[in-house]
Every structure is written in structure tokens, then in C-alpha cells.
Amino acid sequence: RVVVGEHHAGLRRRLRSLLEDDDGLELVGEAHDLDGALHTVASQHPAVLVLDLRMPDGFSAERIKRVRRMSPDTEIVVTTMNPNETLAHEALSAGAAGFVLADSADRELVHAVRRAGRGLPYMSPRVTRAVA
């Protein structure tokens, strides 16, 4: 069970399509802002929240912590256009299970969501190489 929180409508449709095309995953909601994502997580109790790092209402590690407090069984896979290792570290330190670059989502998102659903971390290889 997966919820997508992504402010850009085109990317949200693409992420939704990737997740819906996988037989083992069930998309149970989507939102265009953080408040909507939080509301959907609270009502649907998904295994994984795919969350845009740069929602219109901003990003902070505290918001990831808030999701984790509100729904401790929901893992978070962060998506972003920015391959910044500092942002990846902040997101993962705050409790995100995964970090996927949006331009790599076609290749990485389903794998990252499946890993997160099993409690395993995932970081986009391009970010991992930047950190190394």
C-alpha cells in the first residue's frame, strides 16, 4: 500500500503509473502538498509514502519526523530532482528509508518502494557515488 505526495501534476501522474503498473503494489492515495499527504497517510495507513522533497510548503527534516511519529509503520521514500548528498543525509537521518532522484524514478522507484516496505534502505546510486 503506497501513497504519493508530489506537487508537480505531471510527475505525480508518472509516479502513479509506475506504481500502478506493478502487480505487487497498491496505490491507495495521492496528494499535491504536505498537508494532503499527511491526511492521506493518516486515513490510509500505507506501508510506504513516496514524498517529494520540495513540496510547495517546504522541506524540513522535522516534517519527515512528523510523518514517522504520526504513522510509525509507514516508511518514506523521498524523491527529488536535486542529487545533493546533504539533502539525502538530512532526509535519511530524519527517518526516510529511501532517496530517489526523480529523473531516475523509471528505473529506481519501484525497487526503492519494495525495499522500504521490507524495512530496507535505498539511495539512488548517483547520490551514493557523490557521497563516496
Side-chain angles (χ1 to χ4, degrees):
R1 294 174 49 85
V2 183
V3 168
V4 172
E6 166 60 54
H7 80 282
H8 188 271
L11 184 53
R12 192 171 59 248
R13 279 191 301 273
R14 187 170 126 226
L15 298 177
R16 178 179 60 224
S17 177
L18 289 169
L19 296 167
E20 288 177 336
D21 286 349
D22 190 281
D23 291 333
L25 301 176
E26 177 187 7
L27 184 67
V28 296
E30 58 185 78
H32 70 278
D33 62 14
L34 185 62
D35 286 339
L38 293 173
H39 175 75
T40 305
V41 166
S43 66
Q44 294 298 320
H45 308 288
V48 179
L49 168 62
V50 176
L51 184 64
D52 178 9
L53 187 63
R54 295 288 187 189
M55 293 293 252
D57 36 5
F59 166 74
S60 74
E62 184 55 40
R63 290 171 185 218
I64 292 173
K65 291 176 185 177
R66 182 174 167 199
V67 173
R68 298 292 296 149
R69 282 191 306 268
M70 181 186 73
S71 185
D73 294 332
T74 299
E75 298 294 346
I76 302 166
V77 173
V78 172
T79 61
T80 184
M81 294 299 287
N82 188 348
N84 181 307
E85 63 271 8
T86 301
L87 292 176
H89 178 69
E90 286 178 22
L92 297 172
S93 294
F99 193 91
V100 174
L101 297 175
D103 64 355
S104 301
D106 292 346
R107 295 180 307 278
E108 298 178 19
L109 183 66
V110 168
H111 181 65
V113 167
R114 288 184 170 282
R115 284 185 61 88
R118 293 192 313 266
L120 300 171
Y122 181 86
M123 185 181 295
S124 184
R126 283 185 19 227
V127 176
T128 302
R129 285 191 299 273
V131 171

